[in-house]
Amino acid sequence: MAATVVDRRRQLVSLFARLRRSNGQANPLPTYDHLRAMGEVMPAPWGGFLVTSYRLCNRVLRDKSWLVPDRNWRTRQEDADRWSSPASLQISDSLPMLNPPHHARRRRSLGNVFHQGSLTSLRPSIEKAVERLLDRFIEQLREGPADFVSLVGDEIPVITIGEWMGLPSSDYDLLRSLTHDQVHTQELFPTSTERALSDAATARLRDYFSELINERRKAPGDDPVSSWIRTWDELEPDRAIVDETVHSLALFMILAALETTAHVLSDAVRLLLEHPRQLDLLRQQPELVPDAVEEVLRYDAPIHMISRVAPSDTELGGVVVPEGEMVQLMVGAAHHDPTEYADPHAFDLRRGRGLHGGCPATSKTPASHLSFGAGIHYCLGSSLARLEATVLLDALLKRPVRLRISSAPQWAPRVAFRRMGSLQLALA
Ligand code: HEM
């Protein structure tokens, strides 16, 4: 029995080591199959539990009683370098790391940020940026292979969110590179070098947004930061708390919007080029673009793991998760769970229309994906991310060029936040 436990721990360590290598990142699906076959809920060798099935990831996300790892939880952990670092504590003040009742108050203050009206007004400038970036990209392709990630995929989200927040375009490169560094703290196994990068980026982002808030206080406009200052000045008498709250909101909007959306944009192009029949289908039926975006989000979500903390000793899939223990919801694996999705490794744009949908054994309709989470922390920027992806694919399909992948995409060695470092394309 003891040997079995030791074997399972070894197996998990080796599977996660594989996931972090470039071939594991290029195709994590065999590792996910292996993990799901080992169990729906398993103790992780590094602490906490792993949840691999769709049914349980979905259940935990929708159950309000499960908590997020907030500041209290972080400061109680023995590994202070990991959990009480400046970067970790800064993240703990952001909206997705607040638990009830603090979460509801802050989320309510934001309202529906990306309602239909605001999306309609953002659309023309996204379209303009996409056309400009594609013109430049295709011009470069005429000279030889070019990197879609740096020239297009990484650019669209920073331009979109930067324009929305009224930030100078000269700051976009800085914000993008600080975001790449900051995200390390949210990974499953950040190294000490990555944690130091994350702390340094957090300090610089702090200065950046503190200055921005000072400027917007002096000269308020009709931008979101000025509007959050106005809202919070009415809700909260203490000006220092207001500034801190607005700071966390502004910072998190940047962190939440850049890498995640960039992944969907570049990955959509990668997946379509790797599945030429699906690309042909999309060319014949461009009305399937929104379906294509949903299938990209299911097939390879930008965030493959979401954390929750057990509120009390809680039974989950036959395993008792002790109070205060963290569970890693492996949504990347859950999205390929064959009990929810028929032929889950097939990249199929019509899946949502039921043509290749739910589980044949149970005749269930296909489950909606968990890429934007579910429950009280459901992503506030989902409609903006979908809009950016739709505009990009619409624009690409209208171009008369044919593309091909000219060398294998490069992946960052992560397990939670997917990041393609480069996607070299050439004219076909
Ligand atoms: C494809 C792009 C995106 C993906 C995959 C994504 C994913 C997620 C996920 C999984 C969560 C829930 C985290 C949890 O439950 O712990 C979340 C929350 C959030 N996202 Fe996104 N996101 C994306 C884009 C954006 C954008 C563009 C914005 C804003 C401009 C944004 C703002 C937020 C905010 C504010 C929350 C916190 C909501 C809360 O805790 O109440 N996201 N996102």
Side-chain angles (χ1 to χ4, degrees):
M1 175 71 183
T4 316
V5 173
V6 172
D7 285 350
R8 282 172 71 84
R9 288 169 64 94
R10 279 211 193 104
Q11 226 177 335
L12 284 174
V13 169
S14 128
L15 286 171
F16 272 78
R18 193 205 290 173
L19 261 188
R20 295 191 77 215
R21 285 196 290 272
S22 51
N23 56 348
Q25 281 297 294
N27 181 13
L29 302 185
T31 314
Y32 288 162
D33 288 345
H34 205 135
L35 284 165
R36 271 195 322 275
M38 288 175 73
E40 277 189 291
V41 183
M42 294 172 276
W46 44 88
F49 290 78
L50 301 168
V51 181
T52 62
S53 67
Y54 180 92
R55 139 191 120 92
L56 293 182
C57 288
N58 186 42
R59 185 195 298 170
V60 171
L61 284 172
R62 288 176 198 279
D63 182 341
K64 273 191 205 154
S65 67
W66 284 85
L67 302 172
V68 290
D70 62 7
R71 180 175 276 256
N72 275 339
W73 184 88
R74 287 168 197 248
T75 50
R76 284 199 309 269
Q77 303 309 302
E78 276 174 22
D79 185 358
D81 285 349
R82 164 88 168 87
W83 293 108
S84 294
S85 66
S88 167
L89 293 183
Q90 178 68 61
I91 281 294
S92 74
D93 286 335
S94 63
L95 183 61
M97 292 302 146
L98 299 181
N99 281 309
H102 312 288
H103 174 262
R105 183 176 189 233
R106 196 172 300 176
R107 180 150 176 146
R108 243 192 333 261
S109 80
L110 281 173
N112 181 9
V113 253
F114 298 111
H115 53 79
Q116 201 46 52
S118 86
L119 292 177
T120 305
S121 62
L122 283 167
R123 188 177 191 118
S125 69
I126 300 174
E127 285 173 343
K128 211 167 117 203
V130 166
E131 293 300 339
R132 180 167 53 80
L133 294 169
L134 288 181
D135 283 346
R136 187 183 62 165
F137 181 64
I138 289 164
E139 219 174 280
Q140 291 222 8
L141 286 178
R142 301 204 194 282
E143 309 288 312
D147 180 22
F148 186 84
V149 171
S150 57
L151 291 169
V152 184
D154 276 8
E155 288 281 312
I156 297 168
V158 76
I159 296 173
T160 304
I161 211 78
E163 286 186 1
W164 177 65
M165 282 171 79
L167 307 178
S169 55
S170 51
D171 294 347
Y172 294 171
D173 282 348
L174 174 72
L175 289 169
R176 208 179 20 224
S177 97
L178 292 177
T179 301
H180 291 327
D181 285 349
Q182 211 288 339
V183 167
H184 289 306
T185 193
Q186 301 174 58
E187 256 300 318
L188 189 60
F189 307 117
T191 63
S192 54
T193 311
E194 288 170 342
R195 287 200 305 255
L197 276 175
S198 197
D199 286 344
T202 302
R204 292 193 62 190
L205 285 164
R206 200 168 174 85
D207 292 345
Y208 183 90
F209 285 105
S210 301
E211 205 177 303
L212 180 75
I213 290 165
N214 284 339
E215 279 170 15
R216 300 283 156 98
R217 272 207 178 276
K218 279 190 218 134
D222 63 357
D223 59 283
V225 176
S226 302
S227 124
W228 298 332
I229 295 173
R230 279 192 290 274
T231 303
W232 278 90
D233 275 343
E234 279 173 24
L235 288 172
E236 173 61 59
D238 185 330
R239 162 109 176 237
I241 296 180
V242 172
D243 284 357
E244 194 55 47
T245 307
V246 175
H247 179 278
S248 294
L249 286 173
L251 169 64
F252 186 71
M253 285 295 177
I254 289 288
L255 295 179
L258 298 197
E259 282 206 355
T260 49
T261 315
H263 170 82
V264 175
L265 304 181
S266 295
D267 215 29
V269 172
R270 171 186 76 98
L271 286 167
L272 285 166
L273 291 174
E274 283 178 356
H275 297 86
R277 282 206 200 133
Q278 296 293 305
L279 180 54
D280 284 347
L281 174 69
L282 200 55
R283 286 191 203 288
Q284 286 153 18
Q285 297 182 45
E287 69 278 11
L288 286 176
V289 161
D291 303 69
V293 173
E294 294 313 300
E295 180 63 347
V296 170
L297 284 160
R298 178 199 73 88
Y299 197 88
D300 187 11
I303 302 175
H304 277 205
M305 281 187 201
I306 302 178
S307 314
R308 289 293 184 265
V309 169
S312 54
D313 293 356
T314 307
E315 191 272 334
L316 188 65
V319 173
V320 175
V321 180
E323 177 177 346
E325 284 289 329
M326 182 180 267
V327 294
Q328 296 293 347
L329 308 173
M330 301 196 61
V331 294
H335 285 168
H336 290 263
D337 183 340
T339 60
E340 289 295 331
Y341 301 100
D343 198 1
H345 300 341
F347 177 69
D348 182 349
L349 312 190
R350 291 162 305 173
R351 183 177 292 279
R353 301 196 175 207
L355 299 176
H356 198 176
C359 175
T362 58
S363 315
K364 280 194 294 192
T365 51
S368 54
H369 61 72
L370 302 171
S371 283
F372 294 118
I376 62 169
H377 291 283
Y378 186 79
C379 178
L380 272 172
S382 59
S383 50
L384 181 63
R386 284 178 165 126
L387 175 63
E388 289 173 54
T390 307
V391 168
L392 172 66
L393 292 185
D394 280 344
L396 266 173
L397 290 175
K398 283 188 194 127
R399 300 263 166 168
V401 290
R402 292 285 187 269
L403 303 172
R404 66 179 169 85
I405 297 177
S406 62
S407 54
Q410 300 298 305
W411 293 89
R414 309 215 189 137
V415 293
F417 287 77
R418 299 275 283 156
R419 175 155 166 69
M420 216 190 301
S422 81
L423 176 65
Q424 292 290 333
L425 302 185
L427 292 175

